Amino acid sequence: MRLDYTLTGLCAGLLMSAASLADDLPQRWISAGGAATEWIVELGGEQRLVGVDTTSQHPQTVTTLPSVGYQRQLSAEGVLTLAPDLLLGTEEMGPPPVLEQLEKAGVRIERLSARSDLAALEDNLQRLGILLGEPEKAQLALEDFHQQVNSLQRQIQQSAGDQPTPGALLLLGVGGHNPLVAGRNTMADWLLRQAGARNLAEHDGYKNLSGEALLALDADWLVLTDRQLRGAEGQQALLAQNPGLAASRAVGEGHLLTIDPTLLVGGLGPRLPDALRQLSHAFYPQLQTRQVDVSQ
């Protein structure tokens, strides 16, 4: 009987300790970054979100939350109105004076990495798992992301001998005007390379290129995205506003793809494996039509 009482007391103590630990975790979150918001939801923390920024568009349910504006141009008043325990974003979040003001007002600020590499994703998910009290779920999400990307890489490698590596360009437009070409050290560059293409743009970051320069690069594929216009609408606007682009070989061959611009914001997000599959299946049509052995 004494042992039963002891075990009961021990279990009760553990439950109280777990409840106390959960109470210590931040409960009211604002997420300023699309990828961060998606991971919060993926790890079961959507109920803690009280506000998001304008780059947080997925899943659809988060768009009904109050907006605190664009991640780089946050308003202290807009954030404080929502009385958050935690403001979570990346090093892209700002401006710095607003973040300083929020910290002085007692808002905890956590910055994840926006780098497009798997080491940064691992660190981000570990930190999110701790903040949410879900470290095991975060580890499983990381392992699943790795498994999907690695599996696709093996498929691409087995298909690479069937055709030359396609050269591609990713163009980011704003309402169809002045598209920026994604170069090295960008999320877009990571996306193209992981999908099995060569990024033909060799500059760093994003840069405007003339129509003549785009034609000279002679891309096999053009991947288009627009911050204001979605899907086919953005694609049509870019082509209409940029005749040099419309005259390219890729357009002539119908080698145009469109992606969601929010995939390029805030580091590696949970939708990227699906986006990589879609791109790679366009670059390597044989991936759609034959079974590739990925067991090795």
Side-chain angles (χ1 to χ4, degrees), residues 18 45 71 270 282:
Q71 60 170 349

Side-chain angles (χ1 to χ4, degrees), residues 27-29 40-41 43-50 65 132 134:
Q27 299 299 313
R28 294 178 60 83
W29 292 42
I40 291 168
V41 174
L43 299 181
E46 184 172 4
Q47 75 280 0
R48 300 191 190 185
L49 289 171
V50 297
L65 293 169
L132 288 166
E134 296 284 0

Side-chain angles (χ1 to χ4, degrees), residues 56-120:
S56 299
Q57 298 292 315
H58 296 274
Q60 182 67 29
T61 49
V62 303
T63 62
T64 63
L65 293 169
S67 174
V68 294
Y70 180 50
Q71 60 170 349
R72 295 180 186 270
Q73 299 172 335
L74 299 176
S75 160
E77 182 179 359
V79 170
L80 292 173
T81 297
L82 298 175
D85 302 319
L86 174 69
L87 171 62
L88 182 120
T90 69
E91 63 266 24
E92 297 173 343
M93 181 171 59
V98 168
L99 299 182
E100 292 173 9
Q101 184 179 350
L102 292 172
E103 285 184 313
K104 289 178 181 177
V107 177
R108 179 178 175 180
I109 294 178
E110 290 284 344
R111 297 173 180 83
L112 304 179
S113 174
R115 296 198 323 271
S116 50
D117 63 61
L118 294 174

Side-chain angles (χ1 to χ4, degrees), residues 168-173 176-184 192 199-219 221-224 238 241-246 248:
L169 293 171
L170 190 146
L171 280 72
L172 174 63
H177 296 278
N178 300 321
L180 295 169
V181 182
R184 308 303 182 194
L192 292 176
N199 185 3
L200 299 177
E202 297 183 350
H203 56 265
D204 282 331
Y206 287 88
K207 182 180 178 181
N208 286 116
L209 295 182
S210 67
E212 292 78 9
L214 289 172
L215 286 173
L217 288 171
D218 195 29
W221 287 89
L222 293 177
V223 182
L224 309 180
L238 276 170
Q241 295 293 331
N242 299 275
L245 182 62
S248 66

